Amino acid sequence: MSALFNFHSFLVVVLFFVCTCTFVKMLFPAILRHKTGFRGFFWKAARIGERLSPWVAAGCFIMGVSIIFF
């Protein structure tokens, strides 16, 4: 099943996308400097990861546990 049709897989993909964009922004801030256009989508995901980092970390932990045990 595709990640678009399985809600659990979709949440995992979105969570990994937010974490990856935040990580890339911390390493190479010049890459995500543009706030509009195509790169703006990645900038917004990185901003969500920065501002909601405790919630994103909790989501990563819960998703990891659910993938391992369920």
Side-chain angles (χ1 to χ4, degrees):
M1 220 182 206
S2 172
L4 296 175
F5 299 116
N6 187 353
F7 186 68
H8 184 266
S9 297
F10 177 72
L11 288 178
V12 170
V13 168
V14 169
L15 196 57
F16 284 160
F17 178 72
V18 168
C19 292
T20 303
C21 288
T22 306
F23 183 73
V24 168
K25 187 175 181 195
M26 293 297 157
L27 287 180
F28 309 108
I31 292 176
L32 297 177
R33 187 174 301 161
H34 302 288
K35 298 177 184 177
T36 58
F38 183 70
R39 287 189 188 170
F41 184 69
F42 299 107
W43 179 83
K44 289 175 186 176
R47 188 59 122 183
I48 290 170
E50 289 173 350
R51 297 250 175 123
L52 299 174
S53 60
W55 291 101
V56 172
C60 286
F61 180 76
I62 291 169
M63 283 295 171
V65 169
S66 70
I67 288 172
I68 291 173
F69 293 113
F70 298 110

